[in-house]
Structures are given as structure tokens and as C-alpha cells.
Amino acid sequence: MSTWSGIRHKLENEYLAEALRGHIQYYCTSYSKSPDHHGRASIRLDGEELISGCYWNNWSKAHLFPHDETYEKRMTENYAYMDDTALKLGIFSEHSFYRAFEEFDNQSIEDSLKSEDMIVRIFAILDRRVGKRRLINMYCTINPQEEVFNLFYSIRINAEGIVLK
């Protein structure tokens, strides 16, 4: 695996859409004085954290997950289901970013846009390989329940100067 500085460079300089460069920042750290060396991760827009999470939240907020068909998967597998609920609650860590980047970096942009891992999908929607025509065509297929993804979609649409009717 690459170092975080290498991953961040790729995300912010090689993959990020030109209209977002200098505005979107990816942040990830681990705490060396922590017994398990876990840390936190976030995505920022002009210095404001849009999503952020840390490993500690995995345990302190786990009871807030809805008891639906994904509940068992969330509780038994590491980083099993990164969806809108997990991102809103901040229940992810720097390892989720590493895992998401590895998936994103090793597959096509089409597969990344369809990924079950919402962090991968966020990396993809901010990617320069997703052009204006594709962004416009995606508008009809956006799931209204995915508030976090829709936030990043809106940021990208606005940065590109696209007006949807």
C-alpha cells in the first residue's frame, strides 16, 4: 500500500476534477500514542469538513445503526458497509479511506461509480474522468436517500457550472 501522502497526492492532483482543485482536501491521520494506532479521516471543502470519522465512533455510535438487512453485516465484518448512514454518523476510520482508495485506484471509473462503498463513489464523482455529460445524465439515477453522495454530486455540479432543470 502507498503512504497517505502518496494517496493524497493522487486524489488531489491526479484524479480530482480541475474545477475542484484547491477546494477539496482529503485528510487522514493515525495517532501514534493511541494503543491501536487508529486515527481519523475526512473530506473537506475549502477547509470545512463535509464528512469525518474516526475509529472510536465505530464503537460509540454503533447502537445508532438501523436494525435492517445490513445490520448483521455491519456488526460482524470490518468496513463491511460504507453507506450514507455510516458516513453521516462518522463511523469510519482512516483504514476505510485506505481500503476505498485501493478499490478506486484499481478499477475503472464506471465500476467506482457503481461501488457498494460510498467512499469509493465519492472519490469517483469528484474524479476528472467523470465529465459534464455524464454528470448531467446521472441526475435521473441519483438516489434521493443518499444525502452524503448527493452533497458531493451537488458540489461537483456547481463547480462545473452545470445548471440542471
Side-chain angles (χ1 to χ4, degrees):
M1 182 187 305
S2 301
T3 63
W4 171 245
S5 59
I7 292 170
R8 182 177 178 182
H9 176 79
K10 280 182 112 172
L11 285 170
E12 291 181 2
N13 297 300
E14 294 177 31
Y15 287 124
L16 193 61
E18 189 69 38
L20 294 171
R21 290 199 182 147
H23 297 286
I24 293 288
Q25 303 91 32
Y26 299 94
Y27 174 79
C28 196
T29 191
S30 59
Y31 300 115
S32 60
K33 297 195 189 245
S34 171
D36 52 12
H37 297 279
H38 282 288
R40 62 184 307 272
S42 68
I43 300 178
R44 301 173 179 165
L45 174 65
D46 296 326
E48 179 186 338
E49 288 188 349
L50 301 174
I51 61 168
S52 66
C54 69
Y55 184 74
W56 183 80
N57 281 346
N58 292 354
W59 303 110
S60 68
K61 294 184 178 180
H63 68 283
L64 298 174
F65 275 126
H67 290 270
D68 57 9
E69 65 277 355
T70 61
Y71 185 79
E72 266 316 302
K73 188 176 182 181
R74 288 183 205 274
M75 296 301 129
T76 58
E77 298 177 27
N78 285 335
Y79 319 113
Y81 199 68
M82 294 308 304
D83 66 346
D84 197 63
T85 304
L87 294 179
K88 282 195 279 189
L89 292 174
I91 301 180
F92 62 95
S93 70
E94 78 279 8
H95 296 292
S96 301
F97 261 45
Y98 294 142
R99 187 180 152 280
F101 176 77
E102 186 176 331
E103 179 182 333
F104 172 73
D105 196 38
N106 291 306
Q107 67 185 8
S108 69
I109 193 68
E110 289 79 20
D111 290 340
S112 291
L113 286 168
K114 296 174 189 169
S115 175
E116 193 174 276
D117 187 325
M118 190 167 295
I119 296 174
V120 174
R121 290 178 44 217
I122 289 170
F123 289 163
I125 199 68
L126 301 176
D127 192 293
R128 64 178 168 74
R129 296 172 289 174
V130 176
K132 290 181 181 181
R133 188 176 314 140
R134 185 180 289 174
L135 288 167
I136 292 167
N137 291 339
M138 286 177 69
Y139 180 72
C140 295
T141 62
I142 298 268
N143 181 347
Q145 277 86 32
E146 295 181 335
E147 295 173 30
V148 174
F149 183 78
N150 291 339
L151 170 67
F152 285 95
Y153 177 78
S154 297
I155 289 167
R156 178 70 192 277
I157 289 287
N158 291 335
E160 297 292 348
I162 298 172
V163 179
L164 300 170
K165 297 174 185 169

